[in-house]
């Protein structure tokens, strides 16, 4: 005798809908979820570009690492020094692990060079370092610097541990861009690098901020139209 077919099982499968029929019944379901994911991704990129382009490139602290010592440079006001005006520079020195190195534990010297400069050339300035309190740091090296002209400078900070301090000798080189002073005619004033200073502000122009935003909006519109066309 031949085995009887399983009628219950066949009736169960006969009531199910084939995968191909499901896909025909909901053709836009996959496109809908994909389009949502793409839109969210594009919106995220747009917000990221807006936040980056609105930042002043000179407003971020400069960080260097040498051996077991890290150094952070900040120049008042707002890391945007101007020629002919006194600027307060301070250096947050920390050992590996985050312990602060005060000036009392460091034999530090600061030298300022106008770029470009030749090896062995004497520094343009050698400001005297004094202990200062800045942000959450106490007693760190600081100095008042007056940059004579607009241009690019290099601040070199050399340090050795005094007796009892434990860290390796270090040398940090920070590049600093100096804008024209508020009382100077920067259009015709040559900077220390031999180039013409075009303006006083280091901020991005308005068109440089608007172009990336408009570009992402245009991409978003094109993607949405292509998705609508594929859905139809």
């Amino acid at each position: 005798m031949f085995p009887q077919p399983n009628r219950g099982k066949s009736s169960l499968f006969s009531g199910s809908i084939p995968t191909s029929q499901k896909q025909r019944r909901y053709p836009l379901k996959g496109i809908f979820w994909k389009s949502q994911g793409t839109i969210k991704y594009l919106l995220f990129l747009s917000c990221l570009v807006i936040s980056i382009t609105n930042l002043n490139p000179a407003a971020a602290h400069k960080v260097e690492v040498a051996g077991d010592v890290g150094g952070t440079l900040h120049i008042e006001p707002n890391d945007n020094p101007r020629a002919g005006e006194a600027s307060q520079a301070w250096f947050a020195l920390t050992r590996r692990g985050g312990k602060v190195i005060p000036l009392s534990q460091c034999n530090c010297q600061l030298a300022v060079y106008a770029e470009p400069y030749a090896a062995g050339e004497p520094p343009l300035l050698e400001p005297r370092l004094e202990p200062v309190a800045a942000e959450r740091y106490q007693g760190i090296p600081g100095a008042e610097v007056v940059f004579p002209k607009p241009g690019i400078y290099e601040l070199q900070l050399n340090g050795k541990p005094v007796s009892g301090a434990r860290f390796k000798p270090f040398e940090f080189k920070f590049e600093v861009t100096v804008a024209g002073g508020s009382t100077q005619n920067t259009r015709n004033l040559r900077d220390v690098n031999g180039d013409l200073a075009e303006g006083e502000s280091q901020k991005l122009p308005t068109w440089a901020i608007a172009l990336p935003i408009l570009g992402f909006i245009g991409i978003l519109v094109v993607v949405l139209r292509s998705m609508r066309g594929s859905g139809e």
Side-chain angles (χ1 to χ4, degrees):
M1 295 179 64
F2 293 100
Q4 296 294 326
N6 191 338
R7 294 182 178 179
K9 191 173 185 179
S10 61
S11 62
L12 177 64
F13 279 101
S14 62
S16 63
I17 301 175
T19 304
S20 59
Q21 292 182 10
K22 288 181 177 180
Q23 292 176 348
R24 289 195 297 268
R25 181 174 296 182
Y26 306 104
L28 299 179
K29 185 175 181 180
I31 298 176
F32 174 75
W33 289 110
K34 289 181 180 179
S35 64
Q36 272 198 335
T38 305
I39 293 171
K40 290 179 180 178
Y41 179 70
L42 290 175
L43 290 176
F44 168 75
L45 288 179
S46 300
C47 295
L48 182 62
V49 169
I50 293 172
S51 62
I52 292 175
T53 53
N54 282 332
L55 288 177
N56 185 342
H61 294 354
K62 301 179 185 295
V63 180
E64 292 287 338
V65 177
D68 60 346
V69 179
T72 302
L73 166 65
H74 177 72
I75 300 180
E76 299 287 355
N78 301 323
D79 284 306
N80 190 20
R82 295 181 179 274
E85 301 178 8
S87 300
Q88 178 69 35
W90 53 261
F91 302 85
L93 305 177
T94 56
R95 290 176 52 189
R96 185 174 300 170
K99 187 176 180 179
V100 177
I101 301 175
L103 183 60
S104 60
Q105 297 180 7
C106 179
N107 182 13
C108 297
Q109 289 84 35
L110 176 62
V112 180
Y113 295 86
E115 293 189 344
Y117 65 93
E121 180 180 339
L124 182 66
L125 301 170
E126 290 183 292
R128 178 183 177 85
L129 292 171
E130 297 180 355
V132 298
E135 296 183 356
R136 60 186 180 87
Y137 305 102
Q138 299 291 329
I140 58 176
E144 186 177 273
V145 183
V146 180
F147 299 97
K149 296 181 180 180
I152 300 176
Y153 294 81
E154 184 177 271
L155 273 62
Q156 293 187 8
L157 181 68
N158 296 277
K160 297 179 181 180
V162 300
S163 179
R166 294 184 178 181
F167 60 88
K168 297 179 181 179
F170 62 86
E171 181 183 60
F172 295 138
K173 296 181 179 181
F174 300 94
E175 187 177 276
V176 176
T177 301
V178 177
S182 57
T183 60
Q184 295 175 346
N185 185 1
T186 57
R187 291 185 178 180
N188 298 318
L189 178 63
R190 288 193 173 274
D191 65 10
V192 293
N193 310 104
D195 299 326
L196 285 176
E198 297 294 340
E200 298 179 359
S201 178
Q202 297 295 321
K203 295 182 180 180
L204 290 175
T206 305
W207 62 266
I209 298 175
L211 281 181
I213 300 174
L214 294 176
F216 273 98
I217 293 176
I219 294 174
L220 181 60
V221 172
V222 172
V223 171
L224 288 176
R225 286 182 177 179
S226 63
M227 288 179 175
R228 289 178 182 178
S230 61
E232 293 176 357

